[in-house]
Amino acid sequence: MSRPAPIGPAASTHRRPAWVLAGVLAILTVFVGRLVYVQGLDGSGLAETALALRTTTVELPGDRGEILDADGVVMATTVERYNIVANQVQVAEWKGSDSAAQAAALLGPLLGMTAEELGADLLGERGFVYLAKGVAPDVYEEVMALGISGISGERTTERVYPSGTTAGNIIGFTGTDGYGLAGVEQTYEDVLAGTPGEETYERGARGQRIPAGDDSMVPAIPGRDVQLTIDRDVQFIAQQAIDEQVSTTGAQWGTVEVYDVQTGEILALADSGTIDPNNPSDGDPARAAASVYEPGSTAKVITMAAILEQGIATPTSTYSV
C-alpha cells in the first residue's frame, strides 16, 4: 500500500524561490513601466518641469545717464558697485566646523567689519544673506579672490556727484531706488533712466550656479545724458558770492542768476546754502529754480535800471507822495 507524499519543510522550501522570483518580476515590471513612462511618454514634460525648477532670473540694472555742464564736465554719474552675499549652508561646508570663523576673519578687513559682526551673518541655514552693500569693484575682486565657498556678489550701481554742492540745487538727487527725487534728476527721469536687462541661468538646490547649465542674457540699455547750459566754474563762483552776502547782511537766503545776454542761456543759477546731492539731507531748499516771483516785482528792477541809466534819479533821491 503506497504512502501519500509528505508535505513539510522540504516542499515549502522548494516553492519559495518561485514566489521570490514572482515578486522580483513584479517589482521590475513596475520599474520598467515607470521608466518607459518617464523616458518615452512624458520625458519632455518632466524635463521642462525640472528645468523650470532650477532656473532663476536676475535683473541687470541699466546705468543712469550722466548730467554734464555746458563744457561737458560731469556733474552727476553712475559708478559700478557690488553687494556681497553669503550662502550660509555652503560657507559651513567650506572648511568644516570653523568655516564661519575663518571666513569672517578673512572678509572682515576687506569689508570694514569685525569678525564678530560677520560671524553672525555667516552662521545659519539661509541660502541668501547680505554681508555688505555698495562695495567698490576692487573690493569685490579681492573678496572673490579669497575663494570662500558660498560667498558671491551681485552687481549694482551708485549715483555720485563729483562737484559736491556746486549746482546741487539744479541737479537734484536720486533716492535709494535710483529714481530722481529733485531737480534735473527728477525732471528728466525718463531720459536719464536706463532700461534694465536680465540674466537667466540654472542653479543647484543650494543656490550655486551650474557651470554647464543654460545661461541667457538680455543686455541692459543705459540711459541718455543730459547737458546743461550751466558753466560749473561760473556756478561755483556765484554760489560763493551769494553765500558771503547772505552771511554779511544776515539775510535768510539769496539767489544769483547769470545769463548770456546774446543767447539767453543760463550760465549760473545759484542758491545760498546749496545742498550736496551726495548727502541731500543737508542744505537749504532750492529757491532759484523753484520759488515764484510776482512779475510786477521783477519789472520794477528793469524800470529802476532805466531811471538810473538816464540820470532821471539817483539811488538817494527822495520824493514826497
Side-chain angles (χ1 to χ4, degrees):
M1 189 174 194
S2 62
R3 294 182 177 181
I7 301 176
S12 61
T13 302
H14 182 71
R15 294 192 188 98
R16 189 174 299 147
W19 285 105
V20 173
L21 178 62
V24 171
L25 289 175
I27 294 173
L28 289 176
T29 300
V30 173
F31 285 163
V32 170
R34 182 61 178 169
L35 183 62
V36 171
Y37 174 77
V38 170
Q39 295 290 343
L41 300 179
D42 196 34
S44 59
L46 292 173
E48 290 178 2
T49 301
L51 179 62
L53 289 174
R54 65 176 183 268
T55 297
T56 186
T57 300
V58 295
E59 184 178 282
L60 304 175
D63 291 346
R64 196 171 177 85
E66 294 183 328
I67 299 176
L68 314 171
D69 86 336
D71 296 323
V73 176
V74 175
M75 307 291 285
T77 189
T78 298
V79 295
E80 184 178 39
R81 291 290 182 263
Y82 286 87
N83 297 330
I84 305 301
V85 179
N87 182 316
Q88 295 175 338
V89 177
Q90 293 180 9
V91 171
E93 297 174 347
W94 177 50
K95 293 285 186 179
S97 60
D98 63 343
S99 289
Q102 292 188 55
L106 292 171
L107 291 169
L110 298 179
L111 301 180
M113 303 171 66
T114 65
E116 290 75 15
E117 290 174 318
L118 282 170
D121 290 328
L122 293 171
L123 286 171
E125 298 182 354
R126 289 184 290 171
F128 191 95
V129 180
Y130 283 116
L131 300 181
K133 292 186 176 182
V135 304
D138 58 334
V139 175
Y140 164 74
E141 291 174 2
E142 291 183 68
V143 169
M144 292 298 100
L146 295 174
I148 302 174
S149 297
I151 301 299
S152 60
E154 60 177 18
R155 184 183 181 278
T156 184
T157 58
E158 179 184 355
R159 196 67 165 169
V160 296
Y161 304 89
S163 298
T165 60
T166 302
N169 59 322
I170 302 170
I171 295 170
F173 53 89
T174 60
T176 55
D177 55 3
Y179 290 95
L181 298 181
V184 173
E185 292 277 31
Q186 182 181 43
T187 303
Y188 291 94
E189 170 65 29
D190 293 341
V191 177
L192 291 165
T195 302
E198 62 180 25
E199 183 180 10
T200 301
Y201 62 90
E202 293 183 56
R203 63 179 180 181
R206 294 177 179 175
Q208 74 277 18
R209 186 188 292 259
I210 299 175
D214 291 341
D215 192 334
S216 61
M217 182 183 297
V218 178
I221 301 174
R224 290 179 290 162
D225 297 341
V226 171
Q227 187 164 18
L228 310 176
T229 61
I230 297 296
D231 184 304
R232 186 186 65 169
D233 295 337
V234 177
Q235 179 76 25
F236 175 77
I237 294 171
Q239 286 184 204
Q240 280 192 319
I242 193 60
D243 281 338
E244 290 174 1
Q245 287 302 310
V246 167
S247 176
T248 300
T249 61
Q252 292 184 347
W253 55 273
T255 66
V256 173
E257 301 175 21
V258 181
Y259 292 86
D260 183 327
V261 294
Q262 294 183 335
T263 64
E265 293 177 343
I266 300 175
L267 304 181
L269 195 60
D271 277 307
S272 58
T274 301
I275 68 166
D276 182 349
N278 295 295
N279 187 17
S281 60
D282 296 334
D284 295 335
R287 293 186 173 92
S291 296
V292 178
Y293 293 89
E294 180 184 346
S297 296
T298 57
K300 291 174 184 176
V301 176
I302 301 172
T303 303
M304 190 61 191
I307 291 173
L308 294 174
E309 187 176 60
Q310 296 297 321
I312 299 174
T314 69
T316 59
S317 297
T318 58
Y319 300 90
S320 299
V321 294

